[in-house]
Amino acid sequence: MHRYRTHTCGALRAEDAGKEARISGWVHRKRDHGNLLFVDLRDQYGITQCVADTSSAVFKVLEAARPETVICVTGKVVPRSAETVNDKLPTGRIEVVAAAVEVLSEAAVLPMQVAGEQEYSEEMRLTYRFLDLRREKMQANILLRSKVIASIRQRMWNAGFVEFQTPILTASSPEGARDFLVPSRLHPGKFYALPQAPQQFKQLLMTSGFDRYFQIAPCFRDEDSRADRSPGEFYQLDFEMAFATQDDVFDAITPVLAGIFQEFGNGRPVTTAPFPRITYADAMLKYGSDKPDLRNPLLVSDVTEAFRGSSFGLFAKNIDKGGIVRAIPAPKSADNPRSFFDKLNDWARENGAGGLGYIQYKDGEARGPIAKNLDATRVAQIKAATGANDGDSVFFVCDQPDVAAKFSGLVRTKLCDELNLLDRNKFMFCWIVDFPMFERNKDTGLIEFSHNPFSMPQGGMDALLNQDPLTIKAYQYDIVCNGVELSSGAIRNHRPDIMYKAFEIAGYKNEDVEARFGGMLNAFKYGAPPHGGSAPGIDRIVMLLADEPNIREVILFPMTGRAEDLLMQAPNSVSEKQLRELYIKLNLPKEAGSKAEVKTN
RNA sequence: GGGGGUGUAGUUCAGUUGGUUAGAACGUCGCCCUGUCACGGCGAAGGUCGCGGGUUCGAGUCCCGUCGCUCCCGCCA
C-alpha cells in the first residue's frame, strides 16, 4: 500500500466498496456526535467522509484533530445506507471506516476558516494566502487559469506559433510605464530594468528570422493598481508574426480567443469569428469609450446641430465656444418620477460634469426643461438621431469634444445599470482599429505619439510627409471583450527611414531615437520583415471566464493595491552589505525613515 | 498626487439622538450526544472599539489629524 494514499479524496465510488483504501488530506469539517465521529477529508480532488466510533482505536486521534490538520486515513470503503447517501458529493455513496490514522501535520487554530462561505478582507486573505487558496472558489479559479494557459499553448502551437523565453533582466525603456529597476553589481551606477513587455525582443525575433512567436510572458510595470490591473506584474499572451498584415493578425488570434472562451465559458454565448471591427473614431462617438461593452445596447449620437443657435442658451453658447452635444437614449424611462432624473443629474455633478440635461418623449410630445426651449423641428431632429420612441427619454452631455465624448460613455454605462439592460451572460468581442498615430498634448500643445511609437502609420512614409499628422491613423488595434481591454497590438514600423520620420514629427532628433532605441533600430537596418502582433492579457481573460470582478481572484500570490506582498513581506529593506555591493546609498524621505530603516547585519 | 468607502472579540458583522456591564454569529476551549454531512445541546474564555489629539460631567458614537485596506481619477507608449 502506498505510503500516503491509494486514492485521492475525490476518487472513491460505490463500486470501490469493500476495498481497503488509504487517503490523505486536510480535515475539512468534523461532525462529532460524542460516540460517533465524521471527518470530511479534503484534497485538490474532492472530499471523502471518514467515520469512526468509540470502538475504534483511532477515535481519540480524530476527535483531537483540529480543522486543516493533515492526516492519513487507512480503512475499509463501505457503502452508505440509502438514508445516509449524500448526493451533493461525488464520493457520497461511500465512506471510509477509519482503522488507522496518522497525523502528518498539525494545524494551529486558524485565523480564517477554509470551509464555508465566509467573506474575508483582502488583507486577511493575502496574509494567509495559503489558507485562502485552499478554499473551493480559489482552487477553481487557479485551476481554471492553468487549464486556460494550457489550452492557449496548444491552440497557438496548432496555429504554427512557437514559444520562446525572452530576458527578464533587460534595459530600461524611456517610453511608456515606469520601470522596475535592478541595480547592477558589476557596473556601478547602472541598472537593469524588468521588461514592461517583451516588445522589442519579439520584434528582434522577427528580424532574426523566426516567423511566428508566442510566449506566456511576465510583464512588469511600476504603476498604480486597479481592479483589473495588478500592481507590479502580470502575464500576457505575447505573440508576433512576420510578413503579416493586420488582417493576418486578426485571423490568427481571433479563433484562439473565441475558442478559449467557448471552451471555458460554461456555455455562455461568445462572439463568433470574425469579431466586429469598430474604428477608434466610431467607438468614441457611439460608445464614448475606446473599450466599449457591446453587451450594453445603448448607442450615443451627436446632436450638436440640433442645439446650435437654439434658444436653449446654455448649450448654444457652449457650442459657439467649440463644444459638442452628445445624446444617450434611455428606453422606456420617460414615465420615471422627477427624482429619477434629478438623481442622475446629481450623479453627473458628482462625476465632474455640469449636469445632465434630458428630454422625455411622452404621450406624443417632448417634455422637460430642455424641450421647453427647443422648437418642434429640433425636438424631432433629436428624436430621429437617437432613435427614441414615445416613452423613452434622452440624456444630453454638452462640453468640449474630448470631455463630452468621454462623459457620454460614463452616462451610457450608468443608464445601462439604472435600466438594468446588461445581459451579463455572454462574451462580446470587438476589435478597435485605426487609432490615431499622433495627438496634440493639451498642456504643451505639442504633437506626440498617441499610443505606440513603433506602430506603422497607415499610408507609410507618404502619409508622414504629406498628411496633417493629427489625421494619420496607425495600424494599431485593441481587442475588447465585455468592456475589458484584453490587448493592444500593431503592425510595427520595420523601416528605419519611416521610424526616423515618425519620431521627427513627435519632436525627436535622429540622435535621440538612436540613443533610446538603438538596438532595435540597428537590427532593422540589416533586413527586417514586415511584422505585427498583439498581446492579450492572461489575467484578464481568466478574470472574465471566472466571472470575477477583481484580477486578484485569479492570481496565486497577488500584491496589495500598494504593491506589497503581505505573505512574503515584499518589498523589504536589505542589509548594508547588499547595498555596499551595489554602490547604493539611501536617500530616504524623512517621514519614511522609520518604515524603511536598513537592517544592520 | 487627488477623491469616495471602510476600520468594533481570532474572524465576519450589529451597536439608535453621545449615557450604566460594548452584543450576535462563526471559530477556540470544556461537558453531553452512535448517522451526521453548515450535525445538535449546555457552558466558558476572548475587546486599549486602527492610532493620536480635541469637545463633553460622560465618546465606539461628535470634531481634527494620522495610518491600513479597498474602489475610482491621474498614471498604465
Side-chain angles (χ1 to χ4, degrees):
Chain A
M1 193 173 260
H2 185 270
R3 171 71 178 83
Y4 296 117
R5 60 188 178 191
T6 57
H7 298 77
T8 69
C9 295
L12 291 168
R13 295 291 182 274
E15 52 270 29
D16 295 305
K19 287 181 188 164
E20 282 291 317
R22 176 172 286 169
I23 56 178
S24 288
W26 288 262
V27 173
H28 187 65
R29 275 201 171 94
K30 282 193 332 187
R31 290 172 295 281
D32 187 348
H33 293 238
N35 292 308
L36 177 71
L37 172 64
F38 299 99
V39 171
D40 289 339
L41 201 61
R42 182 197 76 239
D43 64 12
Q44 186 197 308
Y45 308 99
I47 287 179
T48 299
Q49 175 167 283
C50 304
V51 64
D53 64 20
T54 36
S55 69
S56 166
V58 301
F59 183 82
K60 284 218 154 59
V61 180
L62 283 179
E63 197 172 39
R66 267 197 291 261
E68 297 308 305
T69 298
V70 178
I71 62 175
C72 175
V73 175
T74 310
K76 193 170 190 176
V77 181
V78 300
R80 299 201 202 178
S81 65
E83 329 71 89
T84 62
V85 161
N86 184 349
D87 286 322
K88 288 185 214 155
L89 287 180
T91 60
R93 307 190 81 80
I94 53 88
E95 60 193 1
V96 174
V97 180
V101 172
E102 183 185 0
V103 174
L104 299 173
S105 173
E106 273 185 52
V109 173
L110 300 172
M112 60 179 283
Q113 286 150 251
V114 173
E117 301 294 312
Q118 176 79 267
E119 303 256 2
Y120 294 96
S121 71
E122 286 249 323
E123 197 175 359
M124 176 66 44
R125 294 178 56 200
L126 295 183
T127 304
Y128 298 98
R129 190 59 155 180
F130 48 90
L131 292 177
D132 190 38
L133 287 170
R134 289 180 199 171
R135 309 182 87 208
E136 196 176 0
K137 186 70 184 286
M138 287 306 296
Q139 288 265 317
N141 284 357
I142 296 301
L143 290 169
L144 171 68
R145 181 189 177 104
S146 185
K147 287 178 201 158
V148 166
I149 289 175
S151 180
I152 285 174
R153 280 209 163 93
Q154 193 59 54
R155 289 167 190 276
M156 292 303 282
W157 189 261
N158 290 347
F161 289 85
V162 289
E163 184 168 16
F164 298 129
Q165 285 72 48
T166 52
I168 298 298
L169 291 174
T170 180
S172 174
S173 66
E175 298 290 319
R178 199 176 288 117
D179 283 318
F180 279 101
L181 297 177
V182 180
S184 161
R185 175 178 58 87
L186 296 175
H187 301 276
K190 294 190 174 176
F191 293 82
Y192 305 94
L194 306 181
Q196 295 180 21
Q199 180 70 32
Q200 294 193 55
F201 287 114
K202 69 176 173 180
Q203 294 194 239
L204 287 166
L205 283 170
M206 297 298 104
T207 309
S208 304
F210 296 103
D211 198 71
R212 288 187 157 202
Y213 140 91
F214 85 100
Q215 178 180 199
I216 308 296
C219 304
F220 305 89
R221 292 179 193 174
D222 188 5
E223 295 293 349
D224 290 345
S225 70
R226 287 288 185 281
D228 64 351
R229 203 166 81 200
S230 50
E233 58 188 76
F234 59 97
Y235 281 81
Q236 288 185 336
L237 163 56
D238 193 51
F239 73 95
E240 198 76 2
M241 304 159 64
F243 304 107
T245 64
Q246 180 169 292
D247 285 339
D248 294 330
V249 174
F250 289 11
D251 290 346
I253 201 64
T254 302
V256 173
L257 289 176
I260 289 291
F261 277 76
Q262 274 151 14
E263 182 178 357
F264 297 104
N266 274 334
R268 284 169 282 182
V270 181
T271 308
T272 49
F275 296 159
R277 300 180 191 189
I278 302 168
T279 66
Y280 173 81
D282 240 17
M284 292 312 291
L285 169 62
K286 290 183 184 164
Y287 308 100
S289 168
D290 61 358
K291 41 180 184 176
D293 190 341
L294 296 187
R295 296 173 304 171
N296 177 344
L298 305 180
L299 288 180
V300 181
S301 48
D302 188 285
V303 292
T304 307
E305 293 315 312
F307 283 96
R308 190 186 298 281
S310 74
S311 44
F312 187 60
L314 182 66
F315 283 12
K317 270 182 221 154
N318 232 324
I319 292 166
D320 289 341
K321 283 185 277 180
I324 59 168
V325 184
R326 292 282 154 90
I328 309 95
K332 302 187 175 66
S333 66
D335 284 333
N336 276 297
R338 176 68 185 257
S339 62
F340 172 80
F341 298 92
D342 286 348
K343 210 177 73 188
L344 284 164
N345 193 53
D346 292 345
W347 166 85
R349 285 170 176 275
E350 280 164 25
N351 285 275
L356 196 56
Y358 60 90
I359 291 179
Q360 292 157 281
Y361 291 95
K362 200 173 167 181
D363 307 327
E365 49 187 287
R367 299 187 184 183
I370 290 183
K372 284 182 202 153
N373 287 293
L374 289 182
D375 57 60
T377 322
R378 292 173 186 272
V379 166
Q381 203 176 339
I382 292 166
K383 198 173 176 186
T386 57
N389 294 310
D390 202 54
D392 298 350
S393 44
V394 175
F395 287 82
F396 302 100
V397 173
C398 177
D399 212 313
Q400 290 299 302
D402 286 3
V403 181
K406 212 171 161 186
F407 194 68
S408 69
L410 288 182
V411 173
R412 174 175 175 267
T413 304
K414 178 72 176 172
L415 288 175
C416 182
D417 279 353
E418 290 289 329
L419 301 173
N420 204 13
L421 299 174
L422 197 72
D423 179 0
R424 294 187 51 80
N425 223 18
K426 55 184 175 182
F427 295 111
M428 292 190 75
F429 281 90
C430 61
W431 291 98
I432 306 298
V433 298
D434 298 345
F435 278 83
M437 185 81 194
F438 301 99
E439 65 188 13
R440 193 180 291 285
N441 183 308
K442 277 186 218 109
D443 300 327
T444 64
L446 299 173
I447 288 180
E448 49 187 42
F449 290 111
S450 64
H451 289 86
N452 187 328
F454 304 115
S455 301
M456 182 65 93
Q458 294 184 20
M461 186 61 111
D462 183 56
L464 294 181
L465 290 171
N466 301 314
Q467 224 173 301
D468 173 1
L470 293 174
T471 67
I472 299 174
K473 309 269 192 288
Y475 285 114
Q476 160 108 31
Y477 38 80
D478 283 1
I479 302 169
V480 175
C481 177
N482 291 2
V484 175
E485 181 191 319
L486 280 188
S487 76
S488 64
I491 297 300
R492 321 296 174 183
N493 185 344
H494 69 287
R495 289 262 304 271
D497 55 331
I498 300 178
M499 203 177 285
Y500 280 125
K501 185 66 193 172
F503 273 95
E504 184 193 315
I505 289 171
Y508 293 82
K509 296 195 183 96
N510 285 8
E511 308 91 89
D512 299 337
V513 181
E514 280 153 19
R516 293 174 173 210
F517 311 107
M520 204 170 67
L521 196 62
N522 189 44
F524 289 171
K525 288 176 181 166
Y526 297 95
H531 60 281
S534 183
I538 300 281
D539 312 272
R540 286 183 181 174
I541 288 174
V542 180
M543 181 177 134
L544 284 172
L545 287 169
D547 203 19
E548 290 286 1
N550 191 301
I551 203 159
R552 289 185 294 274
E553 301 299 329
V554 297
I555 295 174
L556 275 171
F557 300 105
M559 296 201 279
T560 67
R562 289 191 65 231
E564 287 176 297
D565 182 334
L566 298 178
L567 190 55
M568 302 302 285
Q569 314 238 298
N572 210 336
S573 39
V574 298
S575 69
E576 284 285 7
K577 179 168 176 284
Q578 286 171 296
L579 289 176
R580 268 200 310 276
E581 278 179 345
L582 296 166
Y583 309 94
I584 288 177
K585 211 171 250 175
L586 298 181
N587 177 17
L588 301 173
K590 269 179 195 147
E591 63 272 23
S594 58
K595 269 202 253 169
E597 75 186 16
V598 176
K599 274 190 277 178
T600 50
N601 58 324

